[in-house]
Amino acid sequence: RIAASTMAFLPVRSLLLIGVIASSSAFVPSVSLKGASPARSSLPAASRVARYGSVVATKMNTDTKPEGFGASHTSFYTSAKAKDTYASLDEVLNQKMSDEGVRQVTREMLDAAVKITEALRVNLVTVADAQNSVFGDVQLGVDVIADNIMWDAAKASKVVKEAASEEEPVLVQTNPNGRFTICWDPLDGSSIVDNNWAVGTMIGIWDKKTGMLGATGRDQVTSIVVLYGPRTTALVACDDGVYEFTCGAGNKWIASREKIQIKKDSKIFSPANLRCCQEDAGYDALVKHWMEKRYTLRYSGGLVPDVYQHFTKEMGVFANPTSPKSPAKLRVAFEIAPFSLLVEKAGGKTSDGVTGNSCLDIKIEAVDQRTPACLGSANEVDLFNKMVLGK
């Protein structure tokens, strides 16, 4: 022990060293970590300082926590547990997707997603030299690259009959002997990709028995949503539910989540089209309800990451209503139908934002048909229908 009067004349470095030694018990783990060498708890405090250098540590008095301390309890972390082995894409599809043709087109679309992943890693986000969007949207170079990769996959496929892209919504015959109609949004999130935020690809797949025009989202044989972030992951609608695949070493897909279930209630909300609150008292009240009930806001402005989190967090609600000055802009064939199939296969619910019926029952009468929508945890979608639609 050193008297206070003596400490007053010690240099700062010595005081730091004394502080570390005096509080050394705070750094001793309750159990030694497997493979640690040597365990820090086996060294005298002074030796630890000599080995690891001076450390300044503060311990907050539990009786004087500042307001807001511990607010991280509003975050929701993964519940996924590490496994010794993971099934491959082929292993899962062979067992969980009975139709060989659907398996083939699924593999082809995921092969295209791998190429898009590689393109995003090496290409800068710049405005495309040629602007081909029929809607006047600014096309980026990565939009065009992703779209070209999807078209190359569709045209090379023996099972794809016709295809359409959100970039140019016209059905194009690619193989008269093919079987499937596929529709895709090649790179959803163009307005946030320059921030290096997560973006994605959405793909709806219909059999030629129904085609896409005149059919509904419920007629899809499968749908795929790919998320490009720190990792590339994909949700696939299989016969018995929704599976997530992760693009791993050697660009091989492994099953990272199986038969995902979305809980009926949520504490996460993603409110799109907030401008609508100025005209729609019901939506304004719903957003206030979410805040008053202390829901956690998780909204990026990208449809793929904002809805994809429902599958990783196993809960969530995404709402995008419509109003005269802020009309709906979500595309049924390219965005809502693919995601809705996944959401409902995982036990969630969807609303078309008008009648309150399932988005999967919207009849697709135009390639570029738009709709409002709410997707996610069943009870949250019911609340949207009640407060916003009066249903």
Side-chain angles (χ1 to χ4, degrees):
R1 294 183 180 179
I2 300 176
S5 57
T6 304
M7 292 179 69
F9 296 97
L10 290 174
V12 171
R13 185 175 180 81
S14 298
L15 290 174
L16 294 175
L17 179 59
I18 291 166
V20 170
I21 295 173
S23 61
S24 62
S25 61
F27 295 94
V28 180
S30 57
V31 292
S32 60
L33 299 176
K34 190 175 182 180
S37 64
R40 293 182 66 179
S41 56
S42 65
L43 296 173
S47 299
R48 290 203 298 276
V49 172
R51 173 166 292 188
Y52 300 110
S54 299
V55 179
V56 179
T58 60
K59 186 175 181 181
M60 183 171 291
N61 186 328
T62 56
D63 297 328
T64 59
K65 288 180 181 178
E67 184 177 354
F69 178 77
S72 63
H73 73 275
T74 60
S75 297
F76 298 92
Y77 300 96
T78 185
S79 60
K81 305 293 184 183
K83 298 190 295 187
D84 293 333
T85 60
Y86 292 84
S88 69
L89 173 66
D90 283 342
E91 288 172 334
V92 173
L93 295 187
N94 288 338
Q95 293 181 26
K96 305 298 183 180
M97 196 173 272
S98 58
D99 189 308
E100 170 55 33
V102 180
R103 293 199 297 267
Q104 183 174 341
V105 72
T106 298
R107 292 189 190 99
E108 291 172 354
M109 295 302 100
L110 290 179
D111 285 345
V114 169
K115 294 177 182 178
I116 294 173
T117 298
E118 294 172 339
L120 287 172
R121 288 173 180 163
V122 299
N123 284 279
L124 296 178
V125 178
T126 57
V127 176
D129 293 334
Q131 296 294 309
N132 298 315
S133 172
V134 297
F135 308 111
D137 298 334
V138 175
Q139 281 188 308
L140 304 178
V142 288
D143 289 325
V144 176
I145 292 170
D147 198 35
N148 287 341
I149 290 171
M150 292 298 298
W151 276 116
D152 289 344
K155 292 174 181 177
S157 174
K158 293 182 179 180
V159 296
V160 175
K161 177 181 177 65
E162 56 186 9
S165 167
E166 183 265 351
E167 296 294 320
E168 190 175 352
V170 177
L171 277 173
V172 176
Q173 187 176 87
T174 57
N175 179 2
N177 298 316
R179 174 182 166 190
F180 300 108
T181 297
I182 61 173
C183 296
W184 65 77
D185 184 340
L187 200 65
D188 177 73
S190 297
S191 65
I192 60 175
V193 68
D194 57 345
N195 296 337
N196 206 22
W197 291 2
V199 293
T201 300
M202 291 169 280
I203 307 167
I205 303 173
W206 286 261
D207 193 282
K208 65 180 181 181
K209 293 177 182 177
T210 64
M212 183 269 288
L213 287 176
T216 68
R218 206 174 295 281
D219 293 317
Q220 293 172 105
V221 294
T222 188
S223 67
I224 302 167
V225 171
V226 184
L227 179 67
Y228 310 105
R231 296 166 293 117
T232 295
T233 57
L235 298 171
V236 178
C238 294
D239 295 345
D240 64 341
V242 177
Y243 289 71
E244 180 194 65
F245 297 92
T246 295
C247 188
N251 288 333
K252 302 296 183 182
W253 294 95
I254 59 171
S256 43
R257 297 175 191 266
E258 301 176 358
K259 298 182 71 172
I260 301 168
Q261 286 293 298
I262 299 172
K263 300 171 185 174
K264 292 186 179 296
D265 296 304
S266 176
K267 292 297 289 183
I268 296 173
F269 73 114
S270 304
N273 199 11
L274 283 173
R275 296 182 186 89
C276 189
C277 289
Q278 301 300 315
E279 300 174 79
D280 191 318
Y283 190 41
D284 185 53
L286 180 59
V287 172
K288 289 176 180 176
H289 163 81
W290 286 328
M291 293 189 293
E292 289 167 357
K293 295 298 182 181
R294 303 183 68 79
Y295 281 40
T296 295
L297 174 66
R298 289 290 181 267
Y299 179 72
S300 72
L303 180 62
V304 172
D306 290 338
V307 179
Y308 197 109
Q309 67 182 327
H310 299 176
F311 300 86
T312 54
K313 305 302 184 184
E314 298 176 348
M315 62 176 167
V317 57
F318 170 87
N320 193 326
T322 188
S323 69
K325 293 183 179 178
S326 301
K329 64 177 183 178
L330 297 173
R331 295 167 172 88
V332 178
F334 304 107
E335 299 171 319
I336 292 303
F339 245 138
S340 294
L341 182 66
L342 291 163
V343 168
E344 294 199 14
K345 263 190 171 287
K349 193 168 184 177
T350 66
S351 167
D352 63 9
V354 179
T355 68
N357 294 332
S358 168
C359 291
L360 292 178
D361 292 326
I362 300 172
K363 186 175 182 180
I364 304 172
E365 298 178 316
V367 178
D368 187 50
Q369 186 172 332
R370 311 295 180 96
T371 185
C374 181
L375 300 84
S377 296
N379 290 341
E380 304 299 336
V381 176
D382 285 342
L383 186 61
F384 171 89
N385 285 341
K386 178 181 178 180
M387 296 185 68
V388 180
L389 306 182
K391 304 294 183 181

